[in-house]
Amino acid sequence: MAVISFARGVPAPECLPVEELADCAKVALERDGRTILSYGPSPGYGPLREWIADRHGVDPGRVFVTNGSLQGFVFLAQRLARGKRVLVEQPTYDRPLKILRELGAEIAPVRCDDDGLDPDALEAALRDGEAPAFLYVIPTFQNPSGRTLSEERRRRIVELAREHDLLVLEDDPYGLVRFEGEPLPSLLELSDGYTAYSSSFSKTIAPGIRVGWFVFPEQLAREIEATATGTYITPVLLGQATVHEFVSRGLFEPNLERVRGLIGKRRDAMLAAFERELPNVRTTRPDGGYFLWAELDGVDAGELLTRAEEGGVTFVNGTDFGGAPDTLRLAYSFVSVDEIAEGVGRLAAALPAAV
């Protein structure tokens, strides 16, 4: 019996525009090969930086293109967080937690609910502890919970950042993968210099091209450039030029609509499967993104994981993200609709009958 994995948030193979990217890479090489196959500026491929800057309404000098957005997080954390206090959502993405621990940072979790990060809890954390290096937040279709920070709370968090001279790192890889509802303003749009913004083409084009980006405050952009230059000398310009060719052809928005449709059907299938198989289990209902968060009312998710894997389905324990022992994250982005139905059925069979 093949194991059905709800563990990893990667796009389904049919989401990847393979033929289009192949042609874009070919054209980019033919047109600009002597540039993109050589060493280049650490902030990234100039034309792509300009395209990103135009979308965000900022100067291109504030845009920093990275080999996936997580690499940019490493640069920022190395620059600011060693031995310092860093505020994070509870729960939050597990990779930044791992990076911060390795740097000896003090991780200070801040309470979240269905509307995202609680501003009152944030205010208390700012008042009661050492001044933090920054706040790390995933406000839209959060990993792992799928929750979205409300507009009212976004505005309050920006106010708190201004009052406390707090740098906010807004991580937004999923925001464009919206299935329903209206987009909310980003923290970057609402702030006036207190926000660093990161995103990636991993969820909207393809993860293997390894192209993410940051919008930094000007001074911080110069500091990160120095860190990057001392780390890898040059970025992967071929991937960045391929992405620029892709977006310049007008392929980005049509591809995004296709991705939304493909992954949205999977979200719908997982919600329907829970309603059918596990109606008493509380889950989030994300309007976009890759993940659904479940609460098991006291059932230990670690023990459940062992039984579930024996039954042919896997997920990620919520404690990996700083969640409670009875929580788990399920990714619906990769598996097929039929696999989702079967996998949730296997999960239900692994749970105690009382749940």
Side-chain angles (χ1 to χ4, degrees), residues 40-74:
S42 57
Y45 186 60
L48 182 59
R49 292 176 70 201
E50 291 173 5
W51 184 87
I52 293 169
D54 185 64
R55 283 181 69 91
H56 290 291
V58 300
D59 185 276
R62 294 178 57 191
V63 175
F64 199 97
V65 185
T66 55
N67 301 328
S69 60
L70 193 62
Q71 184 183 59
F73 181 88
V74 171

Side-chain angles (χ1 to χ4, degrees), residues 155-291:
R155 294 184 183 278
R156 179 59 182 144
I157 288 169
V158 167
E159 290 175 0
L160 288 170
R162 187 180 301 114
E163 291 169 10
H164 293 268
D165 195 24
L166 170 69
L167 175 67
V168 179
L169 173 55
E170 176 181 15
D171 192 6
D172 187 29
Y174 307 100
L176 293 178
V177 188
R178 176 177 285 278
F179 317 136
E180 58 189 72
E182 293 299 318
L184 297 177
S186 67
L187 299 177
L188 178 68
E189 292 168 338
L190 295 173
S191 71
D192 52 1
Y194 292 94
T195 300
Y197 176 94
S198 71
S199 191
S200 170
F201 292 105
S202 292
K203 308 303 187 291
T204 55
I205 299 180
I209 55 174
R210 306 313 302 140
V211 180
W213 76 89
F214 280 69
V215 178
F216 288 118
E218 290 183 13
Q219 177 58 37
L220 186 55
R222 290 191 289 271
E223 295 177 15
I224 298 299
E225 180 175 353
T227 300
T229 301
T231 302
Y232 57 46
I233 302 176
T234 187
V236 183
L237 297 175
L238 173 57
Q240 296 179 17
T242 299
V243 168
H244 181 255
E245 178 65 21
F246 188 89
V247 299
S248 297
R249 292 183 181 189
L251 297 175
F252 184 65
E253 293 298 336
N255 187 70
L256 184 56
E257 282 302 313
R258 188 174 62 85
V259 168
R260 286 168 176 157
L262 289 167
I263 299 181
K265 290 177 182 177
R266 289 163 164 81
R267 187 280 312 259
D268 294 345
M270 182 163 279
L271 289 173
F274 265 85
E275 290 173 2
R276 182 176 62 252
E277 302 284 352
L278 292 165
N280 295 325
V281 172
R282 185 175 184 270
T283 69
T284 54
R285 190 189 186 282
D287 290 338
Y290 277 36
F291 306 108

Side-chain angles (χ1 to χ4, degrees), residues 4 6 264-285 292 294 313 330-332 335-349 351 355:
I4 295 172
F6 295 143
K265 290 177 182 177
R266 289 163 164 81
R267 187 280 312 259
D268 294 345
M270 182 163 279
L271 289 173
F274 265 85
E275 290 173 2
R276 182 176 62 252
E277 302 284 352
L278 292 165
N280 295 325
V281 172
R282 185 175 184 270
T283 69
T284 54
R285 190 189 186 282
L292 183 139
V313 63
L330 303 108
Y332 47 76
V335 284
S336 70
V337 168
D338 289 342
E339 287 172 325
I340 288 170
E342 174 65 22
V344 174
R346 294 178 186 180
L347 183 64
L351 275 164
V355 176

